[in-house]
Amino acid sequence: MTVSLTTPLAKLLTNRRRVSALKGLGMVTCADALTYYPFRVTDPVPLRAVREGRIGEPMAFAGVVRDVRVMQMNARRGYRVQAMVDDSAFAAQRHVPGSVTALVFFSYKQQYVNWLSARLHAGASVVVCGTPSEYDGMPQFTHPEVLTVPPTPTASQESARGLRFDADSIDDALRRVCRPRPVYHANSRISSEHIHDSIVTVLRALAAGDDDETAQSEKTAQSGETAQSTQSGTHGTTGTTAISPEPAEPQESAPSPSRASSLSPAHDGIETSPKIPTAALRRAIPDILPESVREACGLMHRAEAFLAIHEPDSVDSFRQALHTLRYEEAFISQTAVLQEREQARKAETFPCTDGDMRETFIDSLPFTLTGGQTSVIDDIVQDMGRDYPMQRLLQGEVGSGKTVVALAAMLQAVGSGYQAVLVAPTQVLAEQHAETIGGMVSKAGLDIPVTLVTGGMKLAARRKALAAAASGEPGIIIATHAAFSRTFQAPNLALAVIDEQHRFGVEQRETLLQRGEKIPHLLVMTATPIPRTAAMTWFGSLDLSWLTELPGGRKPIRTFVIPEADGPTMANMFRHIRRRIDAGERAYIVCARIDEDESDDQAGQDAELFEEPDDASGSGDGSGGSSSVQPKPPLHAVSEIAARLEALPQFQGVRFATLTGRDDDATKQQVMAGFAAGVTPVLVATTVIEVGVDVPQASCIVIFDADRFGLSQLHQLRGRVGRGGTDSWAFLVSRAEPGSIAEQRLAVIQGSLDGAEIAQADLELRGAGDVLGDAQSGGKSGLKLLRVVKDAKMIADARSRAEQVLADDPGLDHEVQLAGAVLDFTRGNESHLISS
């Protein structure tokens, strides 16, 4: 059987434990393994004679074994192997005096000790790579990486008679141990070293293509594993794992076959691993980028890029491969969104050209539209007048007037004789929309039915609402997820408005849009700040509009970061809130958890929380990180904070209410009604208030554990206050360490009210994954390397070249590999191309 990119790793690797560990990291096929990229590459290891060595700094040298001893450890069972190595010849080439140093190995396996002492016999020529330490005033190397080489050129001929070496020459061995090494995100089940071994095995198998060669390659790669399967230690990025004389739970601790294979007792040494042939690899891994694009941009072939990123000869080749694969991702994603955009323009829709109702509504407003609102409405009207469906994303600041724009668009559809639906993510928000829009329509003197359809309605009322929608009569429908159910039918639906689009999946949207004979126009809205570069990448198939101006009368929200440990300042904050309550205003108190029994992980399902150690250096290799990083304190809970605040003298006589995601719709409505009426002027809640809750009297918001939230969500929550034109305040209560990234994030939001600026900073501080969600950053998507901020120019260039390729070959008939990659990307990423 020929090995290909679709070959399962389970058929290629015989070690079931390793296959399982790789599967846990998302690697099931050869393609999965090749696209599991290292997050960094180590610096080349310097050549140094022993006398030039520095304690704690990696180095490599060549020498000759003068003596080897095996000593049984008295205090603990096991053995200590010590080989004395003389580097005189190597040191002479560097014009420094020679020296003798000790190579020390520990093991409790007699078989391993016997094999090791035989390999490192007196007179053996070796190349050593490791980090020197000091013992009894002398330098020594504990569990270094060791490659054996023929002592003389003629000795290489002995390999034909069964005596084999790890490298053909000292120069070859030094090159191998000194080269840069990729480092992968690992875990307790598998080390970065073994991930690398597995990927190199895949590369060799693809180049060989034959199962027999593949099996032999893997046998070589994993032979050390068998012998050391019960040894334990910590995984490093250089050399063999230190072996504990007290065995713990079995872990993979075998050395890399390409570097430390000489330390495996399961065979008599390993013949020099030949360099993976690039030509053969290119036949097994076809290029995706069109040849013209690759040559114009000076990029590597895909096979060469995989080889250079997983088995780099130099840091420069690693970076060149990284650039190539990033550009490939940019090109595939932009080709996909351009094709999606073109496909949408081939669909038939309802042209909406009658704007009388829209003009009547705008004239009836008690305020003048902002310039941004007017511009966006004009764009929408133009889009809806075409014979193919509009697809537009409207991003607007919290309180920027998106609802007015959406209503103007819906009246354009209704005035043209059709139906329009606005889909909201929660029943509370849907009811607020229905009340607000119904009032606006009534004040404008328009006789238009506004129908509410939610899953929480009583059966009779719901049936009546569904029947009204199914009649096809022109009107506005406000719905929750009920709009995606089979019972919802709107035969003359000309416009679908999706509010807070990131809360709906693409399948739900498609269900709504593709029910009739024609595709309705689509307007998706979000108040979540998304940088323009990110929007170009993730929503490139949509026309983009921004509302950045706030309507007249809105005052800037004053934002303060309050250290929780600062008792006097916390007390002053609560006194200020009490004064605002006595003035007839309201206050939100936001917590990440519902109750104290809830874990932080459970809390993170509702709140946009993330863990980021203040010591950002860490280990970076999945081996546990820096031991200096202190665990985060537990998050505050709604039940805890409500009880604490009610007991404070500042809130004596003030009634509190609580609101969480566990409350049913009826409870939520009752709580919000009491809060809006001032019966319970303080609302302690989770982030359920983030979207759509509109209480004009709310002037203060306190967010506990603000240092654990993302900036975009803090900005959203802050926008819940000041909606009635009063002065407003946001207090961000923090336990962030001085100088930490969390403190930097809070400084950004304290100093800015610009959502785009905040989103840009959030993206730079946290990365695309945390801002846009895992499905939009490579967690489950085809994008693993592309950075939407730093690679903005690359994305723009890829889009331009993709447009030219599609202009010459719309169906990609002559670019079969690109067409397949785009199809795979679209299938796995529809949710973030348009909807989430």
Side-chain angles (χ1 to χ4, degrees):
M1 181 188 73
T2 301
V3 179
S4 69
L5 291 173
T6 58
T7 300
L9 294 179
K11 291 186 177 181
L12 192 64
L13 307 176
T14 58
N15 187 312
R16 299 300 98 189
R17 195 156 54 97
R18 180 178 289 196
V19 169
S20 176
L22 293 172
K23 185 177 180 180
L25 294 174
M27 287 178 270
V28 177
T29 67
C30 290
D32 296 332
L34 295 184
T35 54
Y36 190 84
Y37 299 117
F39 65 90
R40 69 179 177 90
V41 66
T42 63
D43 292 327
V45 177
L47 293 176
R48 290 175 183 164
V50 172
R51 287 187 182 274
E52 298 175 301
R54 302 167 189 166
I55 301 300
E57 293 186 12
M59 57 172 281
F61 68 95
V64 177
V65 178
R66 297 303 183 197
D67 177 56
V68 61
R69 296 181 182 180
V70 178
M71 293 156 279
Q72 190 165 2
M73 292 181 288
N74 296 326
R76 296 175 291 177
R77 68 186 179 94
Y79 303 89
R80 180 175 185 264
V81 180
Q82 177 176 290
M84 304 303 295
V85 177
D86 185 349
D87 75 336
S88 296
F90 178 77
Q93 296 176 5
R94 299 182 60 81
H95 309 291
V96 296
S99 181
V100 176
T101 188
L103 311 184
V104 181
F105 305 87
F106 298 94
S107 179
Y108 61 87
K109 294 197 69 174
Q110 181 71 57
Q111 179 191 9
Y112 174 75
V113 169
N114 292 342
W115 170 84
L116 182 61
S117 57
R119 283 289 277 171
L120 300 180
H121 61 81
S125 291
V126 294
V127 164
V128 180
C129 179
T131 302
S133 58
E134 190 173 357
Y135 181 74
D136 280 347
M138 298 290 290
Q140 75 172 22
F141 294 81
T142 304
H143 283 275
E145 183 177 334
V146 181
L147 272 67
T148 59
V149 296
T152 63
T154 57
S156 62
Q157 300 172 2
E158 298 176 10
S159 62
R161 298 194 298 270
L163 184 59
R164 294 178 285 181
F165 302 91
D166 299 323
D168 285 333
S169 65
I170 289 177
D171 287 343
D172 177 48
L174 288 172
R175 180 187 62 81
R176 286 166 55 185
V177 299
C178 292
R179 67 195 295 179
R181 305 176 187 189
V183 184
Y184 302 83
H185 286 294
N187 57 32
S188 60
R189 297 183 64 194
I190 187 169
S191 67
S192 174
E193 290 274 335
H194 282 103
I195 293 171
H196 177 249
D197 295 345
S198 302
I199 295 174
V200 171
T201 298
V202 169
L203 287 168
R204 291 193 181 281
L206 287 167
D210 185 271
D211 264 356
D212 294 335
E213 294 180 67
T214 300
Q216 181 62 37
S217 174
E218 199 213 354
K219 182 179 179 182
T220 295
Q222 299 185 35
S223 55
E225 226 169 287
T226 305
Q228 300 186 45
S229 61
T230 59
Q231 296 165 354
S232 171
T234 54
H235 302 296
T237 58
T238 61
T240 312
T241 302
I243 304 170
S244 169
E246 294 293 336
E249 287 297 317
Q251 291 183 355
E252 292 195 271
S253 55
S256 165
S258 59
R259 299 190 289 270
S261 50
S262 58
L263 298 183
S264 171
H267 51 81
D268 279 340
I270 301 174
E271 293 176 334
T272 303
S273 298
K275 189 167 183 177
I276 299 173
T278 304
L281 201 59
R282 288 175 68 146
R283 289 192 294 270
I285 305 175
D287 213 347
I288 287 177
L289 292 174
E291 186 72 14
S292 59
V293 173
R294 187 166 65 82
E295 290 182 353
C297 297
L299 304 174
M300 305 169 75
H301 187 282
R302 192 172 199 234
E304 295 171 343
F306 279 142
L307 187 58
I309 203 168
H310 293 300
E311 193 75 333
D313 287 325
S314 65
V315 174
D316 286 342
S317 65
F318 178 88
R319 289 172 179 166
Q320 186 181 0
L322 195 61
H323 175 76
T324 294
L325 294 169
R326 275 195 180 128
Y327 194 93
E328 178 185 280
E329 290 185 350
F331 196 88
I332 292 171
S333 67
Q334 294 309 298
T335 303
V337 296
L338 289 170
Q339 279 194 327
E340 175 117 13
R341 185 188 186 97
E342 188 61 30
Q343 191 65 30
R345 292 185 175 182
K346 295 178 180 178
E348 189 177 356
T349 190
F350 301 89
C352 301
T353 57
D354 191 332
D356 289 345
M357 283 189 177
R358 169 179 53 82
E359 292 294 342
T360 300
F361 160 66
I362 293 175
D363 292 341
S364 71
L365 292 173
F367 52 83
T368 302
L369 296 180
T370 65
Q373 287 175 311
T374 300
S375 177
V376 172
I377 290 173
D378 289 343
D379 290 340
I380 290 173
V381 169
Q382 184 177 1
D383 289 348
M384 293 179 66
R386 299 189 178 112
D387 56 4
Y388 58 85
M390 170 183 71
Q391 289 192 308
R392 184 169 290 276
L393 169 68
L394 173 59
Q395 178 182 308
E397 287 288 334
V398 176
S400 61
K402 295 187 300 297
T403 302
V404 171
V405 172
L407 180 52
M410 289 190 286
L411 290 175
Q412 182 77 13
V414 175
S416 300
Y418 304 116
Q419 295 171 293
V421 62
L422 187 154
V423 186
T426 67
Q427 180 165 332
V428 170
L429 185 53
E431 290 171 345
Q432 285 189 0
H433 276 315
E435 182 178 353
T436 301
I437 289 174
M440 287 181 171
V441 167
S442 177
K443 289 179 181 177
L446 299 172
D447 186 16
I448 298 172
V450 178
T451 305
L452 177 65
V453 181
T454 72
M457 298 172 69
K458 292 184 178 179
L459 183 58
R462 189 165 183 236
R463 283 178 175 173
K464 183 178 179 181
L466 290 172
S471 70
E473 290 295 319
I476 294 173
I477 304 163
I478 311 295
T480 57
H481 290 72
F484 306 124
S485 68
R486 293 182 179 179
T487 56
F488 179 80
Q489 298 294 329
N492 290 320
L493 184 63
L495 173 65
V497 180
I498 310 293
D499 193 16
E500 291 305 326
Q501 52 79 33
H502 64 286
R503 295 175 180 259
F504 298 101
V506 68
E507 292 181 2
Q508 293 175 314
R509 181 187 60 79
E510 292 298 327
T511 298
L512 179 62
L513 296 185
Q514 297 182 358
R515 282 194 175 147
E517 296 180 359
K518 296 182 179 181
I519 304 296
H521 300 285
L522 174 67
L523 176 65
V524 293
M525 303 192 302
T526 180
T528 302
I530 304 173
R532 289 176 183 259
T533 51
M536 283 177 57
T537 304
W538 304 117
F539 305 103
S541 58
L542 304 179
D543 293 308
L544 306 176
S545 296
W546 276 267
L547 286 179
T548 57
E549 302 172 69
L550 294 180
R554 290 291 299 269
K555 296 181 179 180
I557 303 169
R558 283 174 273 188
T559 305
F560 300 91
V561 177
I562 309 293
E564 188 172 342
D566 186 349
T569 304
M570 291 282 288
N572 288 336
M573 174 185 72
F574 291 132
R575 278 193 288 270
H576 171 80
I577 292 172
R578 176 58 188 263
R579 287 195 294 269
R580 303 323 307 162
I581 290 171
D582 291 341
E585 296 167 11
R586 316 280 186 271
Y588 295 106
I589 311 290
V590 179
C591 305
R593 290 197 300 173
I594 296 175
D595 52 50
E596 294 180 81
D597 294 332
E598 184 184 25
S599 69
D600 286 4
D601 288 341
Q602 290 173 317
Q605 295 174 7
D606 294 324
E608 188 186 289
L609 303 175
F610 60 99
E611 293 294 333
E612 185 170 7
D614 291 335
D615 178 7
S617 58
S619 66
D621 60 0
S623 59
S626 170
S627 60
S628 64
V629 178
Q630 299 299 316
K632 296 285 186 181
L635 297 164
H636 290 301
V638 168
S639 56
E640 167 213 350
I641 292 298
R644 280 175 52 186
L645 297 188
E646 284 182 303
L648 290 177
Q650 293 96 324
F651 294 112
Q652 186 175 3
V654 175
R655 292 185 60 187
F656 283 67
T658 62
L659 184 67
T660 74
R662 291 182 189 169
D663 296 325
D664 56 34
D665 289 332
T667 302
K668 289 177 182 177
Q669 294 171 33
Q670 182 179 357
V671 168
M672 289 307 301
F675 180 63
V679 177
T680 51
V682 179
L683 179 61
V684 186
T686 59
T687 56
V688 294
I689 68 163
E690 175 189 357
V691 175
V693 174
D694 190 359
V695 178
Q697 299 90 344
S699 64
C700 297
I701 184 167
V702 179
I703 304 173
F704 279 90
D705 297 303
D707 53 300
R708 304 278 287 277
F709 286 84
L711 290 185
S712 294
Q713 191 169 37
L714 289 174
H715 184 60
Q716 282 271 74
L717 290 166
R718 178 171 62 180
R720 294 304 104 203
V721 299
R723 303 174 72 86
T726 60
D727 290 331
S728 54
W729 296 263
F731 302 100
L732 310 180
V733 179
S734 167
R735 290 184 279 187
E737 293 293 330
S740 65
I741 294 178
E743 187 180 60
Q744 294 178 42
R745 288 198 308 272
L746 296 182
V748 168
I749 198 164
Q750 183 178 20
S752 177
L753 294 170
D754 186 330
E757 179 181 324
I758 290 169
Q760 183 88 359
D762 208 8
L763 201 55
E764 291 171 352
L765 287 169
R766 297 172 53 193
D770 293 318
V771 176
L772 299 173
D774 284 343
Q776 296 175 329
S777 65
K780 293 184 179 180
S781 77
L783 295 186
K784 300 182 178 181
L785 299 173
L786 196 64
R787 305 162 303 182
V788 293
V789 174
K790 294 183 179 179
D791 297 328
K793 291 183 179 179
M794 179 187 291
I795 293 168
D797 182 81
R799 189 181 185 91
S800 174
R801 295 182 189 277
E803 286 175 344
Q804 185 59 51
V805 169
L806 289 172
D808 297 337
D809 185 7
L812 298 178
D813 299 327
H814 301 294
E815 299 292 346
V816 178
Q817 296 300 327
L818 176 60
V822 168
L823 182 61
D824 290 342
F825 177 86
T826 304
R827 285 173 175 169
N829 297 277
E830 286 175 331
S831 60
H832 76 252
L833 287 177
I834 288 184
S835 196
S836 82

